[in-house]
Amino acid sequence: ELGYLVNSNRDDLALSPDGRMLRRIYGERDLLVAESLRRGYWKELDPASLAAMATTLVYEPRREEGQVGDRYLPKGRFREAFDRTGTLWAQLDDIERLHRLPGSQPLSTGLTLAMYRWANGTPLDAVLQEADMAAGDFVRWTKQTIDLLDQLSIVADGDVGRTARSALDAIRRGIVAYSSVA
């Protein structure tokens, strides 16, 4: 329905170029990531904003945490990209439910501003206070964000791929980098 599979010469289904990209994205929101890339929603994001966006896709808040209000989201181009990605999530969720597939959770904003600030060089103690989170939990979510940014750096064309590599460098620092040393 979305063009990730196409009919081949023998009446079989084959991967389209977008399908080959989707195949290289791993995670619960792989289709949302692929569609966002295909539609160019993240092209204008700077590294900190892309790190914050990636966090909305991987972070799973505890039941009691919920979402944060708009005033706790990064400003600028992030908001437009976030709104577009959220609308796309709703459309994909409707398609999934139409086909009797389990829907997915909406984007999670609880760690967004903290990740944005971390990517911009804010010290760990200020970020942890912002996130109201233990250092170990922050490191765990940052590693998951790193995983998605790494995938984006490989599959995304042009600016988004370069921005993802810059975002990786920005958040893989301090305790996060130290915790990755084997």
Side-chain angles (χ1 to χ4, degrees):
E1 190 171 321
L2 296 173
Y4 289 94
L5 296 172
V6 293
N7 285 325
S8 68
N9 295 340
R10 295 169 279 149
D11 249 358
D12 293 331
L13 290 177
L15 291 173
S16 68
D18 289 329
R20 286 190 290 279
M21 174 190 59
L22 174 59
R23 181 177 64 181
R24 297 169 47 201
I25 301 169
Y26 300 96
E28 290 184 31
R29 298 179 187 272
D30 52 359
L31 185 58
L32 179 59
V33 170
E35 275 295 298
S36 295
L37 290 173
R38 187 161 79 164
R39 295 176 186 209
Y41 288 172
W42 304 338
K43 281 185 176 182
E44 301 296 321
L45 296 179
D46 61 28
S49 296
L50 187 58
M53 181 61 66
T55 301
T56 69
L57 297 164
V58 299
Y59 180 63
E60 297 173 6
R62 295 185 176 123
R63 286 184 197 165
E64 68 274 3
E65 288 178 20
Q67 301 285 57
V68 297
D70 279 354
R71 70 181 210 157
Y72 295 105
L73 294 177
K75 297 190 183 344
R77 296 191 188 269
F78 172 85
R79 298 235 178 146
E80 180 181 347
F82 176 77
D83 289 343
R84 286 182 173 181
T85 305
T87 300
L88 176 58
W89 164 81
Q91 293 166 351
L92 293 175
D93 191 62
D94 289 345
I95 292 171
E96 290 168 345
R97 292 178 192 280
L98 180 68
H99 292 281
R100 294 185 179 101
L101 296 169
S104 61
Q105 295 297 313
L107 304 178
S108 299
T109 58
L111 193 56
T112 307
L113 189 57
M115 188 62 66
Y116 178 83
R117 289 183 175 165
W118 177 250
N120 275 319
T122 300
L124 181 64
D125 59 339
V127 169
L128 294 177
Q129 186 174 1
E130 171 76 41
D132 190 25
M133 181 177 285
D137 290 337
F138 181 75
V139 168
R140 181 169 58 91
W141 290 115
T142 303
K143 285 183 176 185
Q144 290 192 30
T145 302
I146 286 170
D147 183 48
L148 177 54
L149 289 170
D150 187 47
Q151 292 175 49
L152 292 176
S153 76
I154 295 166
V155 302
D157 293 330
D159 291 340
V160 177
R162 284 188 291 279
T163 302
R165 286 186 285 284
S166 296
L168 280 166
D169 292 339
I171 67 172
R172 195 182 289 143
R173 65 182 181 87
I175 190 173
V176 174
Y178 181 75
S179 70
S180 298
V181 176

